[in-house]
């Protein structure tokens, strides 16, 4: 067993996943719990959703380049499922492409920085409650799957 290689996690293969890893580290440093590839409602899948220490819900969409951003036709639907919405892009991404009224995070696989805070639009109470329940359930199922992959083979 190589102790050094056991302590280094491999970089994700896809550019968006690399950004998501860095953003996840940033959000964790802000005391947020993070889920990747979360489905708040059928037909929408956000790159990252986080739950903050005061029950705030943030959505972050990772864009690996201009073409990735231009082809995204669903992002406005995410606004109804969070208190704050951010784009996460690398240092070379042209920020002027991103819509005003959204947050901006500059990221790489190792970390990230909020360069423009997203405006806050608080979710209605019933929607927040539903999202928090679904978030908790998804997190628990992922944890169980990681601890015991065989638990899901018969379900």
């Amino acid at each position: 067993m190589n102790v050094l290689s056991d302590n280094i996690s491999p970089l994700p293969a896809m550019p968006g996943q690399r950004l998501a890893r860095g953003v996840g580290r940033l959000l964790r440093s802000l005391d947020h719990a993070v889920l990747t590839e979360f489905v708040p409602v059928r037909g929408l899948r956000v790159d990252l959703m986080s739950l903050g220490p005061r029950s705030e819900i943030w959505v972050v969409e990772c864009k690996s380049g201009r073409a990735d951003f231009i082809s995204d036709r669903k992002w406005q639907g995410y606004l109804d499922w969070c208190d704050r919405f951010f784009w996460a892009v690398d240092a070379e991404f042209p920020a002027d492409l991103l819509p005003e009224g959204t947050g901006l995070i500059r990221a790489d696989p190792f970390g990230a920085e909020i360069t423009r805070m997203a405006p806050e639009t608080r979710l209605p109470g019933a929607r927040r409650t539903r999202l928090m329940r679904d978030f908790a359930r998804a997190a628990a199922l992922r944890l169980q799957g990681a601890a015991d992959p065989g638990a899901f083979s018969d379900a």
Side-chain angles (χ1 to χ4, degrees):
M1 173 165 52
N2 184 338
V3 175
L4 181 59
S5 66
D6 290 344
N7 291 324
I8 300 173
S9 62
L11 288 177
M14 303 299 292
Q17 293 172 324
R18 289 175 181 242
L19 293 174
R21 185 174 97 159
V23 172
R25 290 177 175 189
L26 166 69
L27 293 172
R28 187 65 204 110
S29 77
L30 298 173
D31 200 21
H32 283 236
V34 179
L35 284 177
T36 58
E37 301 292 324
F38 181 77
V39 177
V41 66
R42 182 179 295 199
L44 295 179
R45 184 181 71 230
V46 301
D47 292 332
L48 291 106
M49 181 174 275
S50 73
L51 178 60
R54 291 179 297 284
S55 301
E56 62 268 35
I57 296 174
W58 293 5
V59 165
V60 181
E61 275 301 295
C62 299
K63 294 299 165 195
S64 58
R66 177 186 299 264
D68 186 19
F69 172 73
I70 291 171
S71 67
D72 187 339
R73 301 201 191 317
K74 293 184 178 184
W75 76 268
Q76 290 179 327
Y78 304 150
L79 301 176
D80 292 335
W81 298 94
C82 60
D83 298 312
R84 294 184 193 269
F85 177 84
F86 295 86
W87 299 103
V89 297
D90 67 17
E92 287 78 41
F93 189 94
D96 58 329
L97 284 179
L98 302 173
E100 292 189 29
T102 59
L104 174 59
I105 298 173
R106 293 288 185 174
D108 65 27
F110 306 101
E113 178 181 5
I114 296 173
T115 58
R116 182 174 70 214
M117 180 56 77
E120 183 178 52
T121 305
R122 297 290 289 176
L123 288 167
R127 180 160 291 180
R128 178 178 313 284
T129 299
R130 176 185 164 205
L131 272 173
M132 290 176 63
R133 181 198 66 225
D134 293 349
F135 188 98
R137 183 172 166 74
L141 287 169
R142 289 181 190 187
L143 183 60
Q144 182 182 11
D148 182 10
F152 294 93
S153 62
D154 295 332

